[in-house]
Amino acid sequence: MNTVPVNTVPSNVDQQTLRKIFTSDLTETLIKVGLIAFLAYVCVRIFAPFANLVMLGVILAISIYPLYLWLVRKLGGKRGLSATVLVLALLLLLGVPLVILGSSFATQISDVHQQFEKGTFAIPAPDPKVAEWPVIGERLHTAWSEAASNLPAYLQKNAEIIRGYSRKALAVAAGAAGAVLLFLAAIAVAGIMMVYAEGGSRVTERILARLTTPERGASLLHLSVATVRSVATGVVGVAFIQALLLGMGFLLAGIPAAGVFAAITMLLGILQLPALIISLPAIGYLWWADTGSSNTMKIIFTIYFLIAGMADNVLKPLLLGRGVDAPMLVILIGAIGGMVTGGIIGLFVGAVLLAVAYTLFMEWVDSRRPEAVVPVTAADPAPREVAD
């Protein structure tokens, strides 16, 4: 049986003319691709300085949007007023403690750096009362005393190495101050985004529908929002609130390095470790060290540290909602990797973005295209599925 080639060239077109046509088409295609690539590069360069701010604003907006809708209903549907009230409340409840702790963190790191530079850094000798602590008192007092006496020689021997780490710590302190300002700005950006959330949601759904199908676009949008909300509030949000509670308590109780311990508490919370790891030693320090507090204040702070240290048991059921679909290992890798690449803000953004990426990827893995199912015929009585 004779067949006619699909791409048969008419006989009246010679090879030179055909070569010119192909060259012209190729040149035009390369120009278009080059212009698109240049436009994408310029857009990325313009957007890059605001990337962290916008991403954090989107995460905050999605996380607190249910609270915003509740406030809109209470204020008679006034969306702008509701967003303003919510932003001011967040700046007061979260922003003020965050600024105080961030300032404390930066000051403590800066003081340590200056002590290293001047060669005056030293570990104070332990109080004799430390030896009276139960179980670990004598051993801790001995180890502490040896460290205090041997530290000057160790610092002199490893001065350059320690000075390098000190400079890195100073950079972290400066980054923490910038992160606080960025977080406060992101709260304001989130307020603006919530006012126009409906239009933004429709645009995002149209984009996802164009990349996939209308049904899949709506499904992916819903899945992304649910994942962001569950991770940002149920994991990172709980750790953030608990760190603020304990950090302010440490600061008021006179616990040294309150800002540093607050940052450690937040990291432990994301790692799903109990905050009692930090609050219990703080209680011990409060009672056995001379902090200048009366016994009544010590009792009050002890109760507060215990409640704040176990607050995650109450916050998680309230904020986690339906649960987190992404494995905790993915969230941890995102948080740690984000912190390494983007500082403290990366701790938030990295955990959420990696969880969303994992969830969408697994949704794609588990989905099956309709065209992948082969119809049943008389010769093939059982349905067969073609592997994706």
Side-chain angles (χ1 to χ4, degrees):
M1 180 177 180
N2 295 329
T3 58
V4 178
V6 177
N7 296 324
T8 302
V9 180
S11 57
N12 58 346
V13 178
D14 57 13
Q15 294 296 327
Q16 186 176 1
T17 303
L18 187 62
R19 190 179 298 109
K20 290 181 180 180
I21 294 175
F22 285 163
T23 303
S24 176
D25 291 343
L26 179 61
T27 303
E28 184 177 353
T29 301
L30 290 176
I31 292 174
K32 290 179 180 179
V33 171
L35 289 176
I36 293 173
F38 175 74
L39 182 62
Y41 172 76
V42 171
C43 291
V44 170
R45 288 292 302 271
I46 294 173
F47 178 73
F50 308 98
N52 284 337
L53 176 62
V54 172
M55 287 190 292
L56 186 58
V58 170
I59 292 172
L60 291 176
I62 293 174
S63 303
I64 61 179
Y65 191 68
L67 179 60
Y68 168 74
L69 291 180
W70 175 83
L71 193 58
V72 168
R73 291 192 296 268
K74 292 296 181 180
L75 296 180
K78 299 178 180 179
R79 301 181 67 88
L81 178 61
S82 301
T84 302
V85 171
L86 185 56
V87 167
L88 292 178
L90 289 176
L91 290 176
L92 180 62
L93 296 176
L94 299 180
V96 172
L98 188 61
V99 169
I100 295 174
L101 288 175
S103 176
S104 173
F105 177 83
T107 301
Q108 290 152 3
I109 297 296
S110 178
D111 290 344
V112 172
H113 172 74
Q114 291 179 4
Q115 291 174 7
F116 274 125
E117 290 293 330
K118 296 178 181 178
T120 59
F121 182 80
I123 297 177
D127 192 288
K129 294 181 180 179
V130 175
E132 300 175 4
W133 292 6
V135 183
I136 62 171
E138 293 184 3
R139 286 179 293 179
L140 179 60
H141 185 274
T142 302
W144 192 342
S145 300
E146 291 179 356
S149 60
N150 296 332
L151 183 63
Y154 178 81
L155 293 179
Q156 186 176 4
K157 182 179 179 180
N158 301 276
E160 290 301 322
I161 298 176
I162 295 175
R163 193 169 286 113
Y165 283 111
S166 175
R167 294 192 186 98
K168 291 180 180 179
L170 188 63
V172 171
V180 170
L181 295 177
L182 184 63
F183 186 84
L184 298 180
I187 293 177
V189 172
I192 299 173
M193 289 181 175
M194 287 186 293
V195 175
Y196 302 99
E198 293 182 359
S201 176
R202 287 194 295 268
V203 171
T204 305
E205 184 174 344
R206 286 170 54 196
I207 295 173
L208 293 175
R210 180 65 179 84
L211 295 175
T212 56
T213 62
E215 296 78 11
R216 290 280 296 162
S219 175
L220 290 177
L221 177 61
H222 176 74
L223 182 62
S224 301
V225 170
T227 304
V228 169
R229 192 166 293 156
S230 60
V231 175
T233 58
V235 179
V236 182
V238 170
F240 179 73
I241 293 173
Q242 202 167 18
L244 284 184
L245 291 175
L246 284 175
M248 290 303 297
F250 294 157
L251 202 61
L252 295 175
I255 304 295
V260 176
F261 284 122
I264 295 174
T265 300
M266 185 171 66
L267 183 59
L268 291 177
I270 295 177
L271 295 175
Q272 299 297 290
L273 296 174
L276 290 174
I277 296 176
I278 301 296
S279 61
L280 289 180
I283 293 173
Y285 178 86
L286 187 67
W287 283 96
W288 279 287
D290 186 13
T291 59
S293 301
S294 63
N295 288 336
T296 302
M297 293 303 299
K298 289 180 180 180
I299 292 173
I300 293 175
F301 280 123
T302 297
I303 296 174
Y304 177 81
F305 289 157
L306 289 175
I307 294 175
M310 296 185 292
D312 56 328
N313 296 318
V314 178
L315 292 174
K316 284 181 180 178
L318 291 177
L319 299 179
L320 197 55
R322 63 177 183 85
V324 181
D325 291 334
M328 195 53 60
L329 179 61
V330 173
I331 298 174
L332 299 184
I333 293 175
I336 297 174
M339 184 173 62
V340 171
T341 57
I344 295 179
I345 292 299
L347 192 71
F348 293 86
V349 177
V352 175
L353 291 185
L354 197 61
V356 171
Y358 173 84
T359 305
L360 294 179
F361 176 74
M362 293 308 299
E363 176 73 10
W364 173 78
V365 169
D366 295 335
S367 65
R368 291 185 180 276
R369 297 188 300 272
E371 61 269 23
V373 180
V374 180
V376 179
T377 62
D380 186 11
R384 295 183 295 110
E385 290 183 346
V386 178
D388 289 345

